[in-house]
Amino acid sequence: MLAKVNSGCIIGMNACHIEVEVDLSQSLPSFSVVGLPDTSIRESRDRIRSAIKNSGFAFPSGKITVNLSPAGLKKEGSGFDLPIAIGILCAEDLIEPETLNGLLLCGELSLNGKLKPIRGALPLAIALKKKCDSFILPRQNAGEAANIKEISVFGADSLLNVSNHLKGIKPFEAVLSQKTSSYSPSYNNDVDFRDVKGQEYVKRGLEVAASGGHNLLLIGPPGSGKSMLAKRFPGILPELLPEESLETTNVYSIAGELKNDQLIKKHPVRSRELFGHEKGAFTSANYEKRGLFHEADNGILFLDEFPEFRRDVLEALRQPLESGYINISRVSHTFKYPSKFMLVAAMNPCPCGYFTDKTKNCHCTSHQIQKYLAKISGPLLDRIDIHLEAPRLNYNQLSTRRNGEYSSVIKKRVAITRDLQKNRFKKHKAIPRCNAGMSSKHLEKFCTLSSEAEELLKTAILELGISARAYDKILKISRTIADMDNAEIIESHHLSEAVGYRCLDRNLWV
């Protein structure tokens, strides 16, 4: 008898519908799986045989052929254990075929028939909700998929539980989604901008960056507070938009690192300490290993000691900063990984770090400083919107009591500015979520300059010799500063502040 069971798997970042066909015929005993299965699927035969026996069923003695359709798509993962086992029971007439209509099953079986969690339950639910209205998943994954309202999700503990549910002996109750969480990977809630003394100019620049989603480079001597400021930057960002939350949660669901089965609402924060220094650790080029760029999607990527990174790693930043994606080529596929992160980088102005320090002498030669700064190529530097100088604090600044604004106060202003941008783009049916994502077409439409601002921009271009990409960056930053003032037209003071945030374009050091 032939049985058909709906299932799915994750290929790259996409969830694919897979139809599991099980044919049981009277012949010499054998068990084969076809349809381009990987090693973990081929090994499932022994797991399924033991799971069926240990669940109180007799394993059939005939020829079992399992086809994973479409046959031309390479399948991977252990989530096909449950649908294959149910398909075998259905082919033996132990389960009615009608009970499998509109139902998707996915789960890994242990030898005793218990179900183990799988990766990617949420993207499976999102992608396949139009094909199946009910899902049976391991109990550990059920809450995750239940965040999708259009489907009914049932959590199972074992193969026997699933069989009893399909037979109507002991039906499951649908799992209800839980309240969304404010969980954010690697984010420390204990740090606050109020802890930072002085550095008002830098804090202003950070607020501008947060308000427009701009990339940021902090430059200053050791001990000036660059890392301290960067660690507090996530605390002024508003919560993720619903579509950003789903996209980010998908990344961690596929990685098997989603906590509490809840949607991630805060921006993820990733830094180089969590990964190696090879290019593949950043770009996902290492097979079966997620990259730093990909994990920071819709979040923040913090890279300290920026020029000390390998050249190939720095140049690999250019694609995600420009397009928001990285393309990884495998043997048979090219995968497109979302990597729309905000880059927050920090660096010293020279090898010894004291070139701009007024209290300590720099021992580097002009050639050494030029060579150090040249590690960051012009094309990469153009893609970083804001360059901020963080000077060393003097004694009076260090000895004063903390009297700065709380992160929560700054966060409210940032949220208001982001909402203004979101409503503007929504009104004009534009794609960007914030000003940093505007294209040249959007710049012409949304960046209207006053006559004084146009003259100032013309002077800046002639004197600084900035590139076309830097020109676009200045307009985007100006638009953000104007939005912070709730101004429709970009005035000269908005533009002059934006130009001031491009210190490396002004060649002030060398």
Side-chain angles (χ1 to χ4, degrees), residues 389-504:
E389 296 178 74
R392 179 189 292 274
L393 298 180
N394 57 39
Y395 172 76
N396 291 333
Q397 292 171 316
L398 290 171
S399 59
T400 57
R401 295 178 62 85
R402 295 184 305 160
N403 60 357
E405 289 185 298
Y406 287 99
S407 293
S408 57
V409 176
I410 304 174
K411 181 178 179 178
K412 289 179 181 178
R413 293 200 299 266
V414 171
I416 291 172
T417 307
R418 285 282 187 106
D419 285 340
L420 189 153
Q421 297 167 39
K422 181 180 69 174
N423 293 333
R424 178 197 298 131
F425 295 137
K426 184 177 181 181
K427 179 181 178 181
H428 292 84
K429 298 181 180 180
I431 296 175
R433 296 168 181 169
C434 53
N435 286 337
M438 289 192 293
S439 65
S440 299
K441 179 181 66 175
H442 299 132
L443 292 177
E444 294 178 0
K445 190 171 188 177
F446 301 126
C447 296
T448 304
L449 301 174
S450 66
S451 56
E452 295 84 356
E454 287 184 356
E455 287 298 320
L456 178 60
L457 183 58
K458 180 179 178 181
T459 303
I461 293 173
L462 294 175
E463 292 186 1
L464 302 180
I466 61 176
S467 66
R469 185 177 284 112
Y471 168 83
D472 288 349
K473 297 292 186 186
I474 290 174
L475 285 179
K476 292 176 184 179
I477 300 167
S478 301
R479 180 68 268 169
T480 299
I481 298 171
D483 289 341
M484 294 170 71
D485 288 345
N486 199 22
E488 191 68 28
I489 297 177
I490 299 173
E491 301 291 347
S492 58
H493 63 279
H494 300 142
L495 188 68
S496 62
E497 183 179 354
V499 173
Y501 292 140
R502 301 284 301 182
C503 66
L504 293 183

Side-chain angles (χ1 to χ4, degrees), residues 32-43:
S32 61
V33 181
V34 297
L36 290 183
D38 71 347
T39 303
S40 63
I41 299 175
R42 289 194 295 268
E43 290 178 347

Side-chain angles (χ1 to χ4, degrees), residues 5 43 45 55 106 326 416 502:
V5 184
E43 290 178 347
R45 294 173 298 183
S55 298
C106 206
I326 51 175
I416 291 172
R502 301 284 301 182

Side-chain angles (χ1 to χ4, degrees), residues 66 105 116 224 295 310 341 441 482:
V66 177
L105 295 96
K116 294 184 176 181
S224 59
E295 279 212 340
R310 289 173 35 153
F341 54 79
K441 179 181 66 175

